[in-house]
Amino acid sequence: MARVGLVAGETSGDLLGGHLITALKARVTTIQFEGIAGPRMVEAGCCALGSSDRLAVNGYVEVLSHLPGLLALRRKLTRHFVHSRPDVFVGIDAPDFNFGLEQKLKQAGIPTVHFVSPSLWAWRGERIHKIKRAVSRMLVVFPFEADIYAKADIPVSYVGHPLADVLPLEPDQAGARRDLGLPLAGRLVALLPGSRVGEVKRLLPALLETARMLVSARPDLRFVLPVAGKAVWAPIHSLVGPSGLPISLTNGLSTQAMTAADVVVLASGTATLEAALLKKPMVITYRVPGLSYAIMRRQAYLPWVGLPNILLRRFAVPELLQDQATPEALARATLAWLDEPQRVTLLKQDFLALHQTLRCNAAERIAEALLPYLQNKS
């Protein structure tokens, strides 16, 4: 029987891991998966050794406070996989955690594959040397990334982005509203403060004040806020509940919430790409501890942070980060999308072209890249 070890970081990694498991199960009749997983991976058939929520930390300051626990978890996983050897180990996102684990496993003779390249083209390009020591193969989701690894003599496969395959080219906004029990008429704004507790604590108060300003300017506006996992339910509910704002909370269902919305205001991350594939005008925001932001700014190579802007190579959607992420600025940027339908139409055309570029049957390509490590196991 084929055996695959997995470690996925947070909600976005769990989503990608679910697609990877489904792709391999369609090609290998007897296969087992185990590792650090989220609910989507467990549902797809992964035996969870721990929750992907444990890796949901970001920023230098926040990571330092969690470092002892993360290092202990990595040592535990190293011992487990060296003792109970998988045919291949796949690290999904969470690069700072996974590359260290992958290097140890590769040194022990276990093939290691990393799924989703870190943003070497955006910052910290020197990581390419560590990656070369850690991985047997890199799976990349954007076409321009393959050249970076090929030039560094790292085996690489461009697989496309699974979200581009599963999300429709023409999203059904009315259907999403019906599924969520939201009114079909009226304007709706989706608020996504992130999937990490730290993100939520830094962003949600500003988003709620933004919502208050928007309602003052447009009394008919409603909001939907998908809660990305159990870890953030309590801090979100404690702030949204007493606010008195017309906000509908959903347990997960972020794709449906964004599909239902007219505009999305969200934390920078993978969700911004999903919003683009759903053809949604958006306002990207983010806040990290001040020291983390200063370090990241010095190391940045590009003027953009949000994936839609990076892929389109321009500020197609607003980015309001750190001190610029005020409720007043966020409200202005949101109202601009609501009041400029021609601008929205042009943006949707750009996002449709981007969607078509990234849609290339990722499941099949992922399976093809991993099957050589599972030969004679099906």
Side-chain angles (χ1 to χ4, degrees):
M1 176 180 287
R3 298 181 63 252
V4 180
L6 298 167
V7 169
E10 62 187 290
T11 303
S12 58
D14 178 41
L15 176 65
L16 294 170
H19 288 298
L20 183 148
I21 292 169
T22 301
L24 280 177
K25 286 174 73 174
R27 296 287 297 272
V28 182
T29 54
T30 54
I31 187 167
Q32 290 182 340
F33 301 88
E34 66 171 358
I36 302 299
R40 291 176 185 255
M41 292 169 63
V42 171
E43 183 181 357
C46 182
C47 175
L49 302 176
S51 171
S52 57
D53 287 344
R54 294 191 63 181
L55 306 187
V57 293
N58 71 313
Y60 290 96
V61 174
E62 190 173 355
V63 168
L64 283 175
S65 66
H66 289 80
L67 190 58
L70 292 173
L71 291 176
L73 176 61
R74 192 159 65 185
R75 288 192 296 269
K76 180 180 177 181
L77 289 169
T78 300
R79 290 193 297 269
H80 173 81
F81 286 124
V82 169
H83 179 262
S84 179
R85 299 172 69 88
D87 297 296
V88 62
F89 173 84
V90 184
I92 304 170
D93 213 352
D96 291 319
F97 182 91
N98 271 325
F99 287 144
L101 174 59
E102 288 160 2
Q103 184 170 344
K104 294 289 187 182
L105 298 182
K106 186 180 179 184
Q107 289 172 348
I110 298 169
T112 56
V113 175
H114 194 86
F115 183 26
V116 185
S117 169
S119 305
L120 298 177
W121 29 268
W123 72 308
R124 291 178 63 193
E126 75 281 356
R127 285 178 291 179
I128 194 77
H129 306 296
K130 181 176 183 179
I131 293 170
K132 189 170 186 176
R133 295 191 296 269
V135 306
S136 306
R137 178 166 293 274
M138 177 68 72
L139 307 185
V140 299
V141 297
F142 302 130
F144 63 84
E145 294 175 317
D147 287 342
I148 297 173
Y149 289 96
K151 288 177 182 176
D153 198 28
I154 297 172
V156 60
S157 299
Y158 167 57
V159 298
H161 206 292
L163 283 176
D165 294 322
V166 300
L167 295 178
L169 294 176
E170 296 184 12
D172 182 3
Q173 184 179 47
R177 291 193 181 192
R178 281 193 295 269
D179 291 343
L180 295 175
L182 298 171
L184 295 182
R187 312 303 294 276
L188 181 71
V189 175
L191 305 173
L192 281 79
S195 59
R196 306 173 176 117
V197 173
E199 288 175 330
V200 169
K201 289 182 176 179
R202 285 188 290 269
L203 289 179
L204 186 55
L207 293 188
L208 294 180
E209 187 57 31
T210 299
R212 201 175 302 281
M213 292 180 176
L214 289 170
V215 169
S216 179
R218 300 283 193 280
D220 62 328
L221 268 183
R222 290 186 58 86
F223 303 87
V224 59
L225 194 162
V227 180
K230 295 178 181 178
V232 295
W233 177 262
I236 288 177
H237 195 268
S238 67
L239 291 172
V240 173
S243 72
L245 291 164
I247 299 176
S248 298
L249 294 180
T250 67
N251 187 9
L253 305 177
S254 59
T255 301
Q256 293 91 323
M258 288 192 283
T259 302
D262 296 292
V263 181
V264 180
V265 184
L266 75 171
S268 179
T270 303
T272 63
L273 176 63
E274 186 173 8
L277 295 174
L278 291 168
K279 325 300 181 301
K280 296 298 172 178
M282 73 189 81
V283 180
I284 298 172
T285 186
Y286 212 67
R287 287 177 175 174
V288 295
L291 177 60
S292 295
Y293 185 71
I295 295 171
M296 293 166 72
R297 244 185 119 179
R298 283 198 299 269
Q299 293 184 331
Y301 304 149
L302 299 175
W304 316 283
V305 169
L307 282 170
N309 291 337
I310 289 170
L311 293 170
L312 293 175
R313 311 297 292 178
R314 61 185 175 84
F315 282 105
V317 299
E319 295 182 0
L320 297 172
L321 312 173
Q322 214 62 5
D323 293 340
Q324 294 180 332
T326 64
E328 294 82 3
L330 292 166
R332 281 195 302 271
T334 304
L335 287 172
W337 285 123
L338 292 170
D339 293 340
E340 299 178 35
Q342 290 183 330
R343 182 170 161 232
V344 172
T345 298
L346 293 174
L347 181 72
K348 288 182 176 181
Q349 292 172 355
D350 289 337
F351 284 166
L352 176 60
L354 176 62
H355 195 158
Q356 291 167 329
T357 299
L358 297 178
R359 179 178 268 206
C360 56
N361 197 355
E364 186 69 21
R365 292 190 179 201
I366 292 167
E368 289 175 358
L370 293 177
L371 280 174
Y373 303 103
L374 307 172
Q375 292 296 341
N376 304 318
K377 299 282 185 170
S378 59

